[in-house]
Amino acid sequence: MRAWRVHQLGEPTDVLRLEDAPSPAPGPGEVRIEVAAASLNFPDVLLCRGEYQVKPALPFTPGSEVAGIVAQVGEGVEELAPGDRVLAIPKFGDGGLAEETLAAAATTYPIPDSMDWPAAAALHITYQTGHLALHHRAGLRSGETLLVHAGAGGVGSAAIQLGVAAGARVLATAGGPDKVQTCRDLGADVAIDYRAEDFVAGVKEATDGRGADVIYDPVGGDVFDRSRKCVAFEGRILVIGFTGGRFADAPTNHVLIKNYSVVGVHWGLYNLMQPQRIRATHEELVRLHRDGKIAPLVSELLSLDDAAKALERLASRGTVGKIVCTTGP
Ligand SMILES: NC(=O)c1ccc[n+]([C@@H]2O[C@H](COP(=O)([O-])OP(=O)(O)OC[C@H]3O[C@@H](n4cnc5c(N)ncnc54)[C@H](OP(=O)(O)O)[C@@H]3O)[C@@H](O)[C@H]2O)c1
């Protein structure tokens, strides 16, 4: 089988090599999956650069979510069987940018026959993060205003759809007119090009000066700093990521004076701390997808061979929604 591998750290197109590799054998509690589709995530870029918070040993295969068919089960796996259609988080370091991958049965989830492979490959990390952040961490209520930053990106596009599905009024920011239009197409009521105009004024205007009740921030840095200026009384700012490249500081006097909360979200940790919450959220996401309330924005469907170039574009802000790589002919 073929797998993308990183032997030394650097930019994705410089360090990723598509190589022949032996078919992996599942250990106890693991399954081997024939990958039908793998979706790309910003952390795959960080892994290649050696900038992700956890660093796999070299050489490694990136790729943090896949959909495919269970080919073999390891010792002690009873809930899954060969032939099952699943989506999964692959074993760290033996990732999904490959024709076959390994995953723990605990992070492998059944999908219905009606769900196609690209949708399944794009339904996990971004939607899980969004659902958990908006509902469990921020307690988003129907009728509240949700502001989603980088709304045309992977996590942003999922958060817009989940906000609309929750009955919130959704505002979004994005860089450039095309991405702003993508946010509108996803269901945002108001979309602001934050590279061309000050989003604080736009949010205040759209909320009669109140500000947004929940702010979903995958960018950080200046975007976080400016978000503090347009968060509503008793609002919640969700810290999702740092694509802007700087960790912002939250001055506690400002948090007190304006009565808002800064809420951290590390979805991956729930796999360790509360795995049952992830499984319940998966079932809810499958239901929302079946009912037509959410549908991953798969903007590009590529071959596995194109994964390295696609990761480079993702790193440089050149993509919208999700890019999915398929292994078929
Ligand atoms: N907390 C969690 O549990 C969790 C889970 C999943 C992902 N994340 C994080 O969420 C973030 C977004 O991931 P993603 O997969 O959605 O990425 P993505 O699809 O590439 O979207 C990120 C967007 O960030 C914006 N951005 C602003 N400044 C940027 C810069 N200097 N470089 C690149 N992009 C910049 C871009 O949108 P504009 O051009 O519109 O500004 C870009 O499209 C990442 O930091 C990731 O690690 C966190």
Side-chain angles (χ1 to χ4, degrees):
M1 70 108 182
R2 296 180 311 151
W4 284 100
R5 295 220 278 198
V6 172
H7 291 268
Q8 62 182 62
L9 303 176
E11 290 303 313
T13 44
D14 293 337
V15 299
L16 277 165
R17 303 269 171 274
L18 190 54
E19 298 174 342
D20 287 323
S23 185
E30 294 178 347
V31 297
R32 177 165 60 86
I33 296 170
E34 276 173 17
V35 177
S39 80
L40 307 184
N41 287 275
F42 202 83
D44 295 322
V45 176
L46 300 178
L47 276 174
C48 291
R49 291 176 179 162
E51 292 175 0
Y52 194 62
Q53 54 256 42
V54 195
K55 294 169 187 24
L58 293 166
F60 66 86
T61 296
S64 38
E65 58 184 336
V66 298
I69 293 176
V70 173
Q72 188 184 357
V73 301
E75 194 189 314
V77 175
E78 289 173 0
E79 63 277 37
L80 293 162
D84 285 354
R85 298 179 90 243
V86 294
L87 63 76
I89 298 288
K91 192 172 176 177
F92 190 62
D94 284 322
L97 291 183
E99 289 169 340
E100 296 177 17
T101 192
L102 296 177
T107 61
T108 302
Y109 306 85
I111 53 167
D113 290 346
S114 57
M115 191 182 291
D116 64 33
W117 294 124
L123 192 71
H124 201 58
I125 295 179
T126 57
Y127 284 89
Q128 282 269 343
T129 303
H131 197 281
L132 191 128
L134 296 176
H135 292 281
H136 179 59
R137 298 291 282 143
L140 178 68
R141 293 181 290 274
S142 177
E144 285 195 313
T145 301
L146 166 68
L147 170 64
V148 178
H149 289 307
V155 302
S157 56
I160 291 177
Q161 290 184 359
L162 288 165
V164 173
R169 178 171 180 241
V170 180
L171 318 180
T173 64
D178 292 347
K179 288 188 177 183
V180 160
Q181 186 56 46
T182 299
C183 294
R184 288 199 194 98
D185 295 343
L186 286 161
D189 229 32
V190 175
I192 301 165
D193 179 353
Y194 61 178
R195 291 167 88 170
E197 59 179 299
D198 177 23
F199 72 81
V200 173
V203 170
K204 288 208 169 147
E205 190 188 324
T207 56
D208 294 329
R210 277 189 67 249
D213 299 300
V214 175
I215 301 182
Y216 192 86
D217 179 17
V219 181
D222 296 348
V223 168
F224 177 87
D225 292 341
R226 300 294 294 151
S227 293
R228 297 194 288 104
K229 312 287 180 202
C230 60
V231 61
F233 172 73
E234 293 196 327
R236 291 82 81 198
I237 303 179
L238 290 159
V239 179
I240 303 296
F242 312 103
T243 54
R246 178 172 71 81
F247 307 136
D249 292 319
T252 48
N253 61 328
H254 196 253
V255 172
L256 181 153
I257 296 282
K258 285 189 71 176
N259 268 297
Y260 65 89
S261 309
V262 177
V263 184
V265 179
H266 180 185
W267 171 75
L269 201 52
Y270 283 86
N271 283 293
L272 289 177
M273 305 299 285
Q274 297 180 359
Q276 71 287 3
R277 185 178 293 286
I278 305 231
R279 207 156 276 277
T281 302
H282 171 72
E283 284 161 17
E284 172 66 2
L285 292 173
V286 168
R287 190 183 65 73
L288 287 169
H289 182 264
R290 186 201 60 206
D291 294 349
K293 304 270 191 205
I294 57 173
L297 172 60
V298 178
S299 59
E300 298 178 55
L301 198 53
L302 305 173
S303 138
L304 180 67
D305 301 40
D306 298 321
K309 281 188 200 142
L311 274 179
E312 202 74 54
R313 282 189 289 113
L314 188 130
S316 57
R317 263 172 135 155
T319 61
V320 297
K322 296 287 282 184
I323 299 184
V324 173
C325 295
T326 58
T327 53

